[in-house]
Amino acid sequence: MTARPHILVVDDHKEIRDLLAKYLSGNGYDVTVANGGSEMRQALRKGGIHLVVLDIMMPGEDGLALCRSLRETSDLPVILLTAMAEEADRIVGLEFGADDYLTKPFNPRELLARIKAVLRRSGAGRRLPEELQSRRLAFAGFVLDAAQRQLLAADGKAVDIGTAEFNLLHVFLRHAGEVLDRDRLLDLSAGRSAGMFDRSIDNLVTKLRKRIEPDPKNPSLIKTVWGQGYCFTAPVEAAP
C-alpha cells in the first residue's frame, strides 16, 4: 500500500500537539509532532512530510522565521496557526510563504478541511510508484487500458462501462491502498468540471462495484471506510 499523507505539527503547547495528532491520525493522516524549530528540522531531514502545520507564537525561533527559512529551501505546503487575529499578521504570514492561515482558537474540522484543500491545490502528497504510471493496469483479473479507454475482463472481452465510472476506476487504481474522501475523488476524476457533487461519487461507486466486484453487496475490492471515504484494496500492477 502507498503511504498516507504525512503531516508535521509544530507547536510549543503539548496539549495542542497531542490533540491535533490524535484528530488527524483518526482522519487518515500520519502525524509527526515537534515542539519547535530544532525538532521540526530533525523531522524534515527524515523526509516523507507532505505538509507542515506551524504555530507562529513560539519562544526562540517563531513560526514566521521558521516559515521563511523553510520556504527558502522547500516548496512544502505550510499552514500557520496563531492567536493573533489582526489582518496585518495574516498578510505577513502569507508574504513569508505560508499557503494558508488559521487563527486560534479553531475547530479541528476546519484545520482538516484546510489541510485537504492545500494538499489538493499544491499537488503534495504521494508520488505514484513508477509502475502505476503505466497505461495498462492489472487487478483482480481485469486490465484497465487507459490509452484505449477500455476495461478488459479475464477473457479479454471489453466490459461495458461508462466514462465517469472508467475515470473513477482509474483514480482508484492509481491510488490503490489510499483512503480517498469524496472531495478528493471528485478532484482526481475531474468530476467537478462535469458538474458532479459529493453524493454522485456514492452512486458511481455502486455502479462500479456491479462491474468488477464478485459480490457487489459484499465488496472486496472497493471498501467503504466509514466517516472517511473509500479505499481500493486489491493489488495493482502494470500489465503488458
Side-chain angles (χ1 to χ4, degrees):
M1 290 187 178
T2 53
R4 305 193 303 175
H6 193 162
I7 309 301
L8 174 59
V9 176
V10 185
D11 197 300
D12 61 317
H13 289 91
K14 184 177 185 301
E15 297 81 1
I16 293 177
R17 295 197 305 268
D18 292 347
L19 170 66
L20 293 182
K22 181 178 180 179
Y23 184 79
L24 294 175
S25 295
N27 280 276
Y29 295 86
D30 289 332
V31 182
T32 294
V33 297
N35 69 4
S38 177
E39 290 189 4
M40 181 190 84
R41 292 187 178 95
Q42 290 178 21
L44 292 174
R45 280 195 293 269
K46 294 179 181 178
I49 301 297
H50 297 126
L51 181 145
V52 180
V53 176
L54 180 59
D55 183 36
I56 287 183
M57 299 297 290
M58 294 189 294
E61 289 183 283
D62 65 20
L64 291 177
L66 291 173
C67 180
R68 180 167 54 185
S69 174
L70 181 60
R71 191 52 70 236
E72 289 173 354
T73 59
S74 170
D75 291 328
L76 200 62
V78 176
I79 296 178
L80 291 176
L81 303 178
T82 182
M84 299 181 296
E86 288 81 0
E87 182 178 3
D89 296 316
R90 293 196 296 272
I91 293 173
V92 169
L94 296 174
E95 286 178 342
F96 276 28
D99 295 86
D100 206 345
Y101 192 108
L102 195 58
T103 302
K104 296 179 180 178
F106 57 87
N107 188 319
R109 290 180 61 186
E110 181 178 1
L111 176 61
L112 178 63
R114 288 173 183 261
I115 287 173
K116 291 178 180 179
V118 169
L119 288 176
R120 286 197 299 269
R121 289 198 306 266
S122 68
R126 316 140 183 100
R127 180 181 296 275
L128 287 175
E130 185 174 347
E131 63 271 17
L132 292 192
Q133 298 178 28
S134 167
R135 290 297 186 96
R136 288 169 57 88
L137 300 174
F139 69 97
F142 294 90
V143 172
L144 182 143
D145 189 324
Q148 298 298 321
R149 300 288 296 177
Q150 284 187 323
L151 176 64
L152 305 176
D155 59 6
K157 293 182 179 179
V159 177
D160 184 18
I161 185 171
T163 298
E165 295 165 61
F166 183 94
N167 291 342
L168 182 61
L169 177 58
H170 199 195
V171 168
F172 276 131
L173 298 188
R174 289 169 58 84
H175 295 267
E178 300 177 19
V179 177
L180 303 172
D181 63 23
R182 294 182 184 90
D183 284 339
R184 185 155 171 76
L185 286 170
L186 281 168
D187 289 333
L188 291 172
S189 63
R192 293 192 189 281
S193 62
M196 290 173 57
F197 300 96
D198 285 4
R199 293 300 172 182
S200 302
I201 289 294
D202 296 333
N203 294 331
L204 281 179
V205 167
T206 297
K207 292 180 180 179
L208 190 53
R209 282 170 169 164
K210 292 178 180 178
R211 310 286 189 195
I212 65 174
E213 293 278 3
D215 182 0
K217 293 184 179 179
N218 295 287
S220 59
L221 303 180
I222 304 174
K223 293 281 192 179
T224 299
V225 182
W226 296 110
Q228 297 184 46
Y230 296 100
C231 180
F232 192 87
T233 61
V236 180
E237 59 186 12

